[in-house]
């Protein structure tokens, strides 16, 4: 694994002003993500996990501290990252292929028509959507829509992928298939990934490290190395003894925070 520090959060905190009071979403945290590392963030709702992704993407400024990407402060939109959110946000009037092509039509990333068509075709094959290029979002299953969203995020070849519970609404079997595909794609492309999830099993299955956050205001409660060998069989790894031990240790760190989170 590369040793370059891709993402650095130094004393990063976030407060939001609301009528009559200020809400502290995230207490100052320090976190470094190395290039080509897959890091999962887990914790109760409202603890600042998504806020961290938004600050790395340059969509929100920190209230304190500094967010750096490749050692440079993040000021404004970070074009080195791809961001996949909980909602697929597909345009209903565009086909699967046309939704994937959007990123290549933006002025800042525009590519010649022939090259764009070739890249779209490659991405459709890569995410297993061959034969569905002309289907509209309403004609696709939930899993297919997620594949379109993933392809759209990957097509402009970001070096880092930010993912905010991208597969949370899918059934267990389909989720495993997409986790397996995600693991393969990100490792083939040597991508850095920061992945927010509420699912401990999902985090352990995918990540090199799992970061556990406290209830709001969020702070880092624990960081656990996931020393399971790669490549991992996402369909069977959760039935192994090492996986069970990691799950038990992480749940021990998380369970009290989940209870606190319900009272926030």
């Amino acid at each position: 694994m590369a040793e370059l520090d891709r993402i650095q959060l130094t004393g990063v905190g976030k407060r939001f002003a609301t009528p009559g009071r200020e809400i502290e979403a995230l207490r100052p945290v320090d976190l470094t993500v190395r290039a080509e590392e897959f890091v999962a963030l887990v914790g109760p709702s409202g603890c600042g996990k998504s806020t961290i992704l938004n600050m790395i993407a340059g969509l929100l400024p920190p209230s304190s501290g500094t967010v750096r990407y490749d050692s440079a402060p993040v000021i404004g939109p970070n074009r080195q990252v791809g961001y996949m959110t909980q909602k697929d946000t597909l345009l209903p009037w565009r086909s699967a292929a046309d939704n994937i092509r959007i990123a290549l039509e933006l002025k800042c990333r525009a590519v010649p028509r022939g090259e764009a068509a070739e890249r779209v075709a490659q991405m459709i094959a890569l995410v297993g959507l061959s034969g569905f290029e002309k289907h509209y979002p309403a004609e696709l299953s939930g899993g297919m829509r997620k594949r379109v969203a993933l392809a759209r995020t990957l097509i402009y070849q970001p070096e880092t992928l930010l993912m905010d519970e991208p597969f949370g609404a899918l059934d267990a079997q389909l989720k495993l298939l997409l986790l397996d595909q995600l693991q393969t794609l990100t490792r083939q492309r040597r991508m850095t990934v920061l992945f927010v999830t509420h699912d401990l099993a999902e985090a352990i299955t995918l990540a090199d490290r799992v970061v556990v956050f406290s209830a709001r205001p969020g702070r880092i409660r624990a960081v656990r190395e996931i020393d399971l060998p790669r490549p991992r069989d996402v369909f069977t790894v959760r039935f192994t003894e090492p996986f069970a031990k990691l799950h038990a240790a992480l749940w021990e760190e998380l369970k009290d925070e989940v209870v606190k989170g319900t009272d926030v």
Side-chain angles (χ1 to χ4, degrees), residues 109-246:
R109 301 185 186 279
V111 300
R113 184 182 298 270
E115 180 185 342
E118 182 179 348
R119 285 169 64 174
V120 169
Q122 290 173 347
M123 286 307 310
I124 285 172
L126 197 62
V127 299
L129 284 172
S130 297
F132 293 91
E133 298 92 331
K134 297 181 180 180
H135 285 60
Y136 290 90
E139 301 171 321
L140 300 174
S141 69
M144 287 179 176
R145 290 170 62 101
K146 290 294 184 183
R147 291 178 193 220
V148 173
L150 179 59
R152 183 183 59 188
T153 304
L154 294 176
I155 196 168
Y156 63 87
Q157 301 171 343
E159 59 189 7
T160 295
L161 194 56
L162 308 177
M163 308 190 79
D164 190 357
E165 297 188 71
F167 309 134
L170 302 179
D171 65 68
Q173 292 78 17
L174 181 55
K175 183 185 293 188
L176 284 175
L177 289 171
L178 290 177
L179 293 182
D180 187 51
Q181 192 167 44
L182 176 65
Q183 176 185 233
T184 300
L185 288 173
T186 54
R187 293 190 70 78
Q188 282 178 348
R189 293 183 168 222
R190 303 178 67 176
M191 300 181 74
T192 306
V193 185
L194 202 56
F195 189 92
V196 167
T197 179
H198 281 99
D199 187 334
L200 271 183
E202 191 173 83
I204 298 167
T205 298
L206 293 174
D208 299 305
R209 283 189 297 154
V210 175
V211 181
V212 179
F213 281 80
S214 71
R216 193 179 73 203
R219 58 181 175 79
I220 294 177
R221 179 181 171 97
V223 180
R224 173 76 59 159
E225 297 281 344
I226 306 299
D227 55 358
L228 300 174
R230 290 191 184 275
R232 296 174 190 161
D233 185 338
V234 304
F235 305 102
T236 62
V237 68
R238 63 190 62 203
F239 302 114
T240 65
E241 184 177 350
F243 186 100
K245 288 182 178 179
L246 284 165

